[in-house]
């Protein structure tokens, strides 16, 4: 009996999934990014009023989109986190994390360019690395997280994710 | 995995998040604006509401002592001009700086307390509120026309039961322009 040509063999899956030190690095990257997105999503959902005001401070979206974003952003973060931690659809979750982070970064840069003083509710009331109003620190932090997301998007879930077990991605 | 397949998965994950958020938003209300009559508004104010604030109750109006709120303050707009704010401040009403703590340290209207929306995070009640009666006028300012911090704080205070809230639309620059003294340093 021969294997179907559209189902990857164990050898080809192993070739795509990082193993050894690279597999451990992929695991660390996705768990770190997934953990941060869990914290970020839960913190925002715990305090939707505060996050809504934070989005309002960007002065980019109309009110009805602010209300939708208040809940859609943290839920998207939690979905990303779940898939990253499980290592399932890891590349897709990594690239979506990059898109979300890029959107935040553009928003923060826009606020800075317009000289608006606003607090960052990026992690709800938790101040991760950066304190005070939105500034260059927040841009640098996001750049680091975006680099992490690129790593996850390129490496995938590694040897320890469901992607590897399911022979997908 | 082909790039198209990854793109489909990215869209699928984003779709799950957006649908979950849309459903959640239908059950949990958030308030973005104070309405002109001082109540939380489910719909946004129009541009004219900010451009032409209506006068609030007379600053020297007697404050009700029985815990009720006067009809004038109940129906008055929460948005006041710097001149109206100055009259209230001169009459000894409580002034709150809703800007960031860094801005407060750099300079605030003398006698202003510092309080911001972040102080309400996680459902907390700021310690400072123990000193404010629910029916006393609270005059709130931030950076001015482009700043939402004072209105945001007023929404949290309204949800905490405070009924007589005045938001100074011209904010700190407007009050300074009227000659109110500026102090520096941490909140006392």
């Amino acid at each position: 009996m021969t294997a179907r040509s559209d189902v990857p063999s164990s050898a080809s899956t192993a070739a795509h999934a990082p193993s050894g030190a690279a597999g451990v690095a992929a695991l660390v990257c996705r768990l770190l990014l997934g953990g941060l997105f869990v914290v970020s999503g839960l913190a925002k959902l715990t305090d939707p009023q505060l996050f809504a005001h934070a989005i309002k401070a960007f002065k980019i979206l109309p009110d009805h989109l602010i209300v939708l974003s208040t809940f859609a952003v943290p839920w998207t973060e939690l979905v990303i986190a779940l898939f990253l931690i499980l290592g399932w659809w890891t590349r897709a979750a990594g690239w979506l994390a990059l898109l979300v982070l890029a959107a935040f970064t553009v928003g923060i840069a826009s606020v800075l360019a317009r000289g608006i003083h606003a607090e960052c509710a990026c992690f709800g009331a938790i101040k991760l690395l950066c304190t005070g109003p939105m500034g260059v620190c927040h841009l640098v932090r996001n750049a680091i997280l975006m680099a992490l997301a690129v790593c996850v998007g390129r490496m995938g879930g590694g040897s320890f994710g469901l992607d590897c077990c399911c022979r997908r991605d | 995995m082909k790039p198209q397949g990854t793109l489909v998965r990215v869209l699928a994950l984003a779709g799950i998040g957006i649908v979950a958020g849309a459903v959640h938003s239908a059950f949990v209300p958030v308030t973005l604006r104070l309405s002109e009559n001082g109540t939380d508004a489910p719909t946004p104010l129009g541009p004219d509401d900010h451009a032409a604030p209506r006068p609030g109750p007379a600053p020297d109006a007697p404050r009700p002592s029985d815990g009720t709120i006067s009809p004038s303050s109940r129906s008055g707009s929460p948005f006041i001009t710097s001149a109206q704010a100055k009259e209230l401040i001169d009459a000894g009403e409580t002034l709150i700086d809703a800007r960031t703590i860094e801005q407060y340290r750099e300079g605030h209207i003398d006698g202003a307390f510092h309080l911001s929306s972040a102080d309400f995070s996680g459902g907390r009640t700021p310690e400072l509120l123990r000193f404010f009666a629910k029916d006393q006028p609270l005059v709130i300012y931030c950076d001015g026309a482009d700043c939402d911090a004072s209105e945001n704080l007023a929404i949290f205070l309204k949800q905490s039961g405070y009924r007589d809230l005045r938001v100074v639309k011209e904010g700190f620059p407007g009050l300074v322009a009227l000659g109110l003294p500026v102090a520096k340093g941490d909140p006392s």
Side-chain angles (χ1 to χ4, degrees):
Chain A
M1 187 174 174
T2 55
R4 283 171 52 188
S5 60
D6 58 339
V7 177
S9 65
S10 299
S12 66
T13 303
H16 282 92
S19 57
V24 172
L27 175 71
V28 170
C29 284
R30 69 178 168 81
L31 288 185
L32 189 58
L33 197 61
L36 286 172
F37 270 78
V38 167
V39 173
S40 176
L42 288 180
K44 286 168 184 149
L45 282 181
T46 307
D47 243 324
Q49 187 72 64
L50 194 65
F51 184 51
H53 289 170
I55 300 174
K56 189 171 80 166
F58 281 75
K59 296 186 184 301
I60 293 174
L61 298 176
D63 282 2
H64 63 283
L65 285 183
I66 292 175
V67 173
L68 176 62
S69 304
T70 298
F71 296 96
V73 168
W75 273 109
T76 303
E77 289 179 332
L78 289 178
V79 169
I80 291 170
L82 177 69
F83 280 73
L84 285 179
I85 290 169
L86 291 177
W88 190 32
W89 288 15
T90 315
R91 291 177 196 275
W95 292 125
L96 183 57
L98 179 68
L99 284 178
V100 170
L101 289 165
F104 287 152
T105 306
V106 168
I108 293 171
S110 161
V111 163
L112 294 180
R114 287 176 287 159
I116 297 173
H117 278 85
E119 294 279 351
C120 178
C122 319
F123 292 89
I126 301 167
K127 301 296 178 194
L128 184 72
L129 301 176
C130 302
T131 57
M134 275 184 271
V136 175
C137 175
H138 295 87
L139 291 177
V140 172
R141 183 188 65 191
N142 274 18
I144 294 169
L145 293 179
M146 285 164 73
L148 204 57
V150 169
C151 288
V152 173
R154 290 185 66 84
M155 288 198 293
S159 312
F160 307 100
L162 288 181
D163 283 332
C164 185
C165 302
C166 299
R167 296 183 178 178
R168 297 278 183 199
D169 200 20
Chain B
M1 189 74 195
K2 293 177 181 176
Q4 295 94 323
T6 303
L7 180 62
V8 169
R9 288 178 178 183
V10 167
L11 294 175
L13 294 181
I16 294 169
I18 291 169
V19 169
V23 172
H24 195 169
S25 70
F27 294 100
V28 181
V30 291
T31 307
L32 297 177
R33 313 281 174 191
L34 279 178
S35 73
E36 277 295 287
N37 63 6
T39 58
D40 293 350
T43 52
L45 293 175
D48 290 345
D49 295 321
H50 291 268
R54 294 174 207 154
D60 55 352
R63 194 186 308 171
S65 56
D66 60 354
T68 59
I69 193 164
S70 68
S72 57
S73 61
R74 195 191 297 275
S75 60
S77 165
F79 300 105
I80 60 173
T81 63
S82 300
Q84 290 169 327
K86 185 174 184 302
E87 289 177 7
L88 287 168
I89 296 163
D90 290 344
E93 300 298 1
T94 303
L95 184 62
I96 298 176
D97 188 322
R99 299 175 302 158
T100 64
I101 189 66
E102 291 80 10
Q103 288 176 297
Y104 181 92
R105 287 190 187 115
E106 286 171 11
H108 55 268
I109 301 299
D110 195 19
F113 295 94
H114 180 265
L115 196 63
S116 73
S117 299
D119 295 320
F120 289 83
S121 63
R124 287 181 300 169
T125 301
E127 282 288 305
L128 188 61
L129 294 189
R130 290 191 298 126
F131 303 104
F132 301 154
K134 299 283 186 184
D135 61 335
Q136 80 176 85
L138 298 176
V139 182
I140 311 165
Y141 71 86
C142 61
D143 258 343
D146 286 336
C147 174
D148 294 322
S150 50
E151 185 182 8
N152 294 344
L153 177 62
I155 290 170
F156 276 106
L157 288 168
K158 180 71 73 179
Q159 291 171 348
S160 298
Y162 290 86
R163 290 164 286 190
D164 198 353
L165 304 164
R166 316 296 174 85
V167 175
V168 187
K169 289 309 292 183
E170 292 98 333
F172 182 68
L175 296 173
V176 171
L178 288 178
L180 286 167
V182 175
K184 294 185 178 185
D186 286 313
S188 54

